[in-house]
Structures are given as structure tokens and as C-alpha cells.
């Protein structure tokens, strides 16, 4: 593959959960005639095809979480990490395996690594691939992925209504006022309630962004605490260990031991194999028309 290759990396959990809840609001879950739930798989497939049409990749990979919360490396660092997560709805659970049958039909690799999260898999792949000279596009619902942006890596953040926000180094600076390297330091200060990352109590996104842009990074902020107001200095000093733990928790791991062969990720598929899977899942004419 030449330098002009373009790899689309999809955050499997982001797509699947968004597809499930986006189609479940009315309480009517799509099912086959035999009662198999397919609403999340149908929505996932539609989104995957949408982003493939939008970005025209040469290669496509899906990254997944494959571990329970308790077995995550971050849970070893901090007991409370993601402790607020609820069990997946009963209607969604069987679709975790089913969606991988669909991606297999498209010859799309499903990659995961025990102990690590999908973000870490995508972070590892995007780092390796960009260093090899490939253009990488990450499609996800997770703003943490903005730390992965570089000249060769861009991120599309999923939004409601099938829309997305596109981020590269320039648009990240224009829209959020920070660089990719500063994303984690902002999160270290503000925390993240959705993942139970504590941050520094009393500091929100606006203040965190202001502190990091003024000082450059977290380490320099702590070197220059004397320049902060007494109230802010006290807050930061008191929670120093928690802030640095939060930075560690929020940092995407980029050296996950995940094995892959890029040639296996070519965005090429046997239309008949895909059509057979669509027929099995009773996806209907609209979806069938999208694969010819």
C-alpha cells in the first residue's frame, strides 16, 4: 500500500450503542421473523456504510472493547474507573456477536485486546499506521480520541441525526482552542463523570482549558502554581495526586499488543456473501441496494 492509502478506523462500541439507542427510543426494537433482535446491528451497518461512502477508504478496521470493567488495566490503577456503567439491555447483548458476523461478511477485521479498551486499539493502530505514512480517519463518539489527532490522523465525532464534527489539528485549535497534546491535560483537570475520572473538584472545562492554554501543559501549570490565585493554588495542590491519576486514566494507550495485517483490512467484499447475511437478518431492500 502506498502513502496515498486511507484507513478508516471505526469505534465499534460507539457505533453499536449509538445505533441501538438511536432506534430504541420508541420502544420498538427491530427483529427478524424468528424474534432475533437486529436494531443495533442494522444501524451499525448503515453507519459503517455511510462513513465508508463519505471517506472512501482503501482499508477499514473496527476496534472493540473485549474486557469486563474489572479486568481493564485502568481498573487496576483506580477502583472507581467506569464504576457507574450499567449492564447492557437484554435486547442488545446478543447483538454484540451478531454485528461481528456482519463485519466478517464484509471481510472487515474486528480487533480487540484483553484488558484494553477500543480507544486503546484505535490509538495503537492510528499511531502505527500514520508513522508508516498512511492517512487515518477515526470515527467515534468519544472526544478522548481528539488526543490522537496529527497531520495524518483526523477524527470524526458522531453526533445525533447522522451528523458528525470533523477534527484535524487546525479545526481542533479553532473549535476548542487546544492542541491534541493538550486534550489529556484538560481532561486531567476537569475529569469525566461518564468514566468516573475524578479530575480536580471545582474545575470545569472552561477553567481547565484556560489553565492549560495559559501554561502550555499540566506539568508547567504545577511548576507555576505561584502565579495562580490563592484559591486555585490551594485547590490544585490539594488534588495534585488525583489530577495526575486522572491524566493517566484519560491517556489513550498506543502500544497495545494487538496483531493485524493491513492487507486483511482492504475495503473490498464479496457482495453475495454480504447479501446472504442481509437476507438472513431480514435487512430489506434499502440496505441490500447499498451493496449492489
Amino acid at each position: 500500500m502506498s502513502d496515498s492509502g486511507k484507513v478508516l478506523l471505526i469505534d465499534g462500541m460507539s457505533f453499536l450503542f449509538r445505533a441501538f439507542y438511536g432506534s430504541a427510543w420508541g420502544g420498538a426494537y427491530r427483529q427478524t421473523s424468528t424474534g432475533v433482535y437486529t436494531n443495533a446491528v442494522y444501524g451499525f451497518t448503515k453507519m459503517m456504510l455511510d462513513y465508508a461512502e463519505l471517506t472512501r477508504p482503501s482499508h477499514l478496521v473496527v476496534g472493540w472493547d473485549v474486557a469486563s470493567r474489572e479486568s481493564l488495566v485502568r481498573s487496576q490503577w483506580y477502583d472507581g474507573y467506569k464504576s457507574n456503567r450499567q449492564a447492557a439491555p437484554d435486547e442488545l447483548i446478543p447483538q454484540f456477536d451478531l454485528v461481528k458476523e456482519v463485519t466478517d461478511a464484509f471481510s472487515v477485521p474486528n480487533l480487540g485486546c484483553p484488558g484494553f479498551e477500543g480507544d486503546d486499539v484505535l490509538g495503537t493502530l492510528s499511531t502505527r499506521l500514520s508513522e508508516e505514512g498512511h492517512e487515518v480517519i477515526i470515527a467515534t463518539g468519544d472526544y478522548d480520541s481528539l488526543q490522537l489527532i496529527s497531520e495524518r490522523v483526523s477524527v470524526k465525532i458522531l453526533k445525533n441525526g447522522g451528523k458528525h464534527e470533523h477534527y484535524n489539528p487546525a479545526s481542533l485549535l479553532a473549535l476548542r482552542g487546544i492542541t491534541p497534546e493538550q486534550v489529556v491535560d484538560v481532561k486531567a483537570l476537569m475529569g469525566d463523570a461518564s468514566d468516573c475520572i475524578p479530575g480536580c473538584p471545582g474545575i470545569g472545562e472552561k477553567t481547565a482549558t484556560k489553565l492549560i492554554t495559559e501554561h502550555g501543559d499540566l506539568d508547567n501549570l504545577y511548576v507555576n502554581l505561584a502565579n495562580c490565585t490563592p484559591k486555585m493554588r490551594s485547590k490544585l495542590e490539594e488534588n495534585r495526586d488525583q489530577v495526575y491519576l486522572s491524566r493517566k486514566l484519560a491517556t489513550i494507550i498506543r502500544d497495545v499488543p494487538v496483531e493485524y495485517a493491513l492487507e486483511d483490512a482492504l475495503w473490498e467484499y464479496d457482495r453475495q456473501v454480504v447479501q446472504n447475511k442481509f437476507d438472513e437478518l431480514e435487512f430489506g431492500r434499502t440496505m441490500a441496494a447499498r451493496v449492489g
Side-chain angles (χ1 to χ4, degrees):
M1 180 175 150
S2 69
D3 283 2
S4 60
K6 184 189 297 183
V7 186
L8 174 60
L9 302 179
I10 287 176
D11 181 340
M13 288 300 185
S14 278
F15 271 49
L16 194 65
F17 274 88
R18 183 170 289 270
F20 178 81
Y21 288 108
S23 62
W25 61 271
Y29 301 104
R30 185 185 186 99
Q31 294 174 265
T32 66
S33 55
T34 57
V36 176
Y37 290 107
T38 59
N39 65 312
V41 178
Y42 184 92
F44 177 101
T45 306
K46 180 182 181 300
M47 292 166 65
M48 181 177 74
L49 290 171
D50 286 345
Y51 278 88
E53 289 175 6
L54 176 68
T55 61
R56 300 291 178 182
S58 55
H59 297 70
L60 195 154
V61 177
V62 182
W64 295 95
D65 298 349
V66 295
S68 64
R69 186 192 72 82
E70 293 76 17
S71 63
L72 292 172
V73 293
R74 289 178 181 82
S75 295
Q76 316 307 313
W77 302 338
Y78 177 55
D79 282 345
Y81 183 68
K82 290 193 172 179
S83 58
N84 60 346
R85 292 298 164 98
Q86 303 294 313
D90 290 342
E91 297 85 355
L92 175 58
I93 291 172
Q95 299 188 66
F96 288 122
D97 290 331
L98 200 56
V99 73
K100 292 175 185 175
E101 292 181 19
V102 173
T103 50
D104 284 344
F106 277 99
S107 297
V108 168
N110 293 292
L111 299 183
C113 189
F116 300 94
E117 298 170 68
D119 281 353
D120 301 321
V121 173
L122 299 185
T124 298
L125 294 177
S126 64
T127 300
R128 288 185 196 170
L129 291 166
S130 61
E131 287 174 352
E132 292 168 4
H134 308 310
E135 178 186 352
V136 179
I137 301 168
I138 299 171
T140 178
D142 193 342
Y143 282 95
D144 285 348
S145 294
L146 298 180
Q147 65 190 268
L148 301 174
I149 290 170
S150 69
E151 291 304 320
R152 290 189 182 271
V153 179
S154 60
V155 173
K156 293 186 181 297
I157 299 289
L158 310 181
K159 307 297 288 184
N160 291 335
K163 299 177 180 177
H164 69 269
E165 295 173 350
H166 179 77
Y167 286 95
N168 55 29
S171 61
L172 177 63
L173 191 61
L175 294 170
R176 294 184 164 255
I178 54 176
T179 66
E181 295 75 21
Q182 293 173 325
V183 169
V184 173
D185 286 352
V186 170
K187 177 68 71 74
L189 291 173
M190 64 180 278
D192 184 351
S194 66
D195 287 341
C196 298
I197 294 177
C200 184
I203 293 183
E205 182 175 9
K206 187 175 179 181
T207 300
T209 301
K210 182 173 183 289
L211 287 168
I212 294 302
T213 53
E214 283 179 355
H215 293 88
D217 60 37
L218 192 63
D219 294 338
N220 199 47
L221 168 62
Y222 271 98
V223 166
N224 293 285
L225 282 183
N227 296 331
C228 296
T229 64
K231 184 178 179 181
M232 180 61 69
R233 182 166 65 249
S234 173
K235 199 180 294 186
L236 289 168
E237 285 176 339
E238 184 179 335
N239 294 285
R240 180 192 294 257
D241 290 347
Q242 186 166 290
V243 167
Y244 274 93
L245 171 62
S246 296
R247 183 167 76 168
K248 184 178 182 181
L249 293 170
T251 300
I252 291 176
I253 300 167
R254 305 195 195 196
D255 57 356
V256 168
V258 61
E259 297 302 322
Y260 70 99
L262 193 57
E263 57 266 27
D264 294 339
L266 277 169
W267 179 236
E268 297 174 352
Y269 53 87
D270 185 321
R271 284 171 170 75
Q272 191 57 55
V273 172
V274 171
Q275 191 59 66
N276 291 343
K277 180 56 68 174
F278 283 8
D279 289 344
E280 176 191 326
L281 298 176
E282 300 173 17
F283 274 2
R285 293 180 183 175
T286 303
M287 190 73 84
R290 299 194 62 177
V291 296

